[in-house]
Each structure stands twice: as C-alpha cells, then as structure tokens.
C-alpha cells in the first residue's frame, strides 16, 4: 500500500509517500508504522541534528520505513516505547534510525535519531553490536 502523508515539525512541513509491505515487525514497530502511514510523524531537534551530521535526508528515512528491519526493541523504555531499525537510503547505504512514541501517548511517531552505523561498533550487516 502506498500512502501519501504530510508531516511537520518546528522546522517545516513536507509531503512524502511511504509503502509499507512485508517488513519484519515488533509490536512497537507495528504501532509506529501505523502512525507513519497516517502522517503522524515528528522529528526531534536532536534527530534533525544527527540527520544533518551524517548527511541523511528525512525523506530517505520516511521512505525507507517499508524495508526497515528491527534491530532492537525497547517496549518498556522509560521515555516511551522505541525501536532501533536498520534502513537503507535511496543509494542503498545503511542507516540506523531510532523511532519512538512519547510515554503515556499513542501518537506521534518520533524520529529520535538516525546515523550511519560503523563497522567498528557493529557486526557485518549492522544488525548486532560488537561485543
């Protein structure tokens, strides 16, 4: 299913299309994916800073949700449920994205941070942390 949605934050509003099919899910990520489909998305100020620092475009993050792989799931995190997912940008480069939902709320999906995972901290494939 392809959905058009509009998302906004203190730094602007944008329109994007997202296709959500066949991704590996956790209950937390299923809830987040539904919010993203409906355009109930915010990007934290920290998230914007990290996107810029690693040259990641918000549209790539939003558009890559359909192929996201859940790396870590934190349904009981103190600030609200969140997940770390592996996504790829339009060039096929890996990126880790942390999505969350504020504690005590059911919306919005918040892009908390995104970064390029490095081989010094992650196993090949970027799905497991090095020990």
């Amino acid at each position: 299913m392809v959905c058009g949605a509009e998302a906004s934050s203190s730094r602007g509003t944008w329109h994007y299309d997202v296709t959500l099919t066949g991704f590996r899910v956790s209950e937390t990520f299923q809830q987040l994916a539904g919010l993203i489909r409906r355009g109930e998305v915010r990007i934290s100020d920290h998230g914007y800073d990290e996107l810029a620092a690693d040259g990641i475009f918000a549209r790539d993050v939003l558009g890559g949700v359909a192929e996201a792989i859940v790396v870590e799931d934190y349904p009981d995190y103190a600030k609200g449920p969140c997940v770390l997912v592996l996504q790829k940008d339009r060039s096929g480069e890996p990126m880790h994205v942390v999505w969350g939902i504020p504690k005590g709320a059911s919306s919005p999906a918040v892009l908390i941070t995104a970064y390029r995972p490095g081989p010094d901290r992650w196993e090949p494939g970027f799905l497991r942390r090095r020990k």
Side-chain angles (χ1 to χ4, degrees), residues 27-37 40 65 81-83 99-101 108-110:
E27 188 174 312
T28 305
F29 191 69
Q30 286 178 328
Q31 186 177 1
L32 285 157
L35 294 169
I36 294 164
R37 270 195 310 266
E40 297 177 42
V65 168
C82 58
V83 293
W99 289 99
I101 301 168
V110 178

Side-chain angles (χ1 to χ4, degrees), residues 33-100:
L35 294 169
I36 294 164
R37 270 195 310 266
R38 292 189 301 276
E40 297 177 42
V41 177
R42 298 286 181 266
I43 299 177
S44 71
D45 287 340
H46 174 76
Y48 271 113
D49 293 342
E50 294 301 310
L51 289 170
D54 279 6
I56 299 171
F57 295 101
R59 289 183 182 191
D60 283 350
V61 173
L62 294 168
V65 168
E67 303 301 322
I69 299 170
V70 175
V71 176
E72 297 172 354
D73 188 2
Y74 304 101
D76 300 316
Y77 188 66
K79 293 183 179 182
C82 58
V83 293
L84 168 64
V85 296
L86 174 65
Q87 296 182 216
K88 296 203 175 175
D89 65 16
R90 71 180 85 187
S91 299
E93 294 297 316
M95 56 187 169
H96 277 165
V97 183
V98 177
W99 289 99

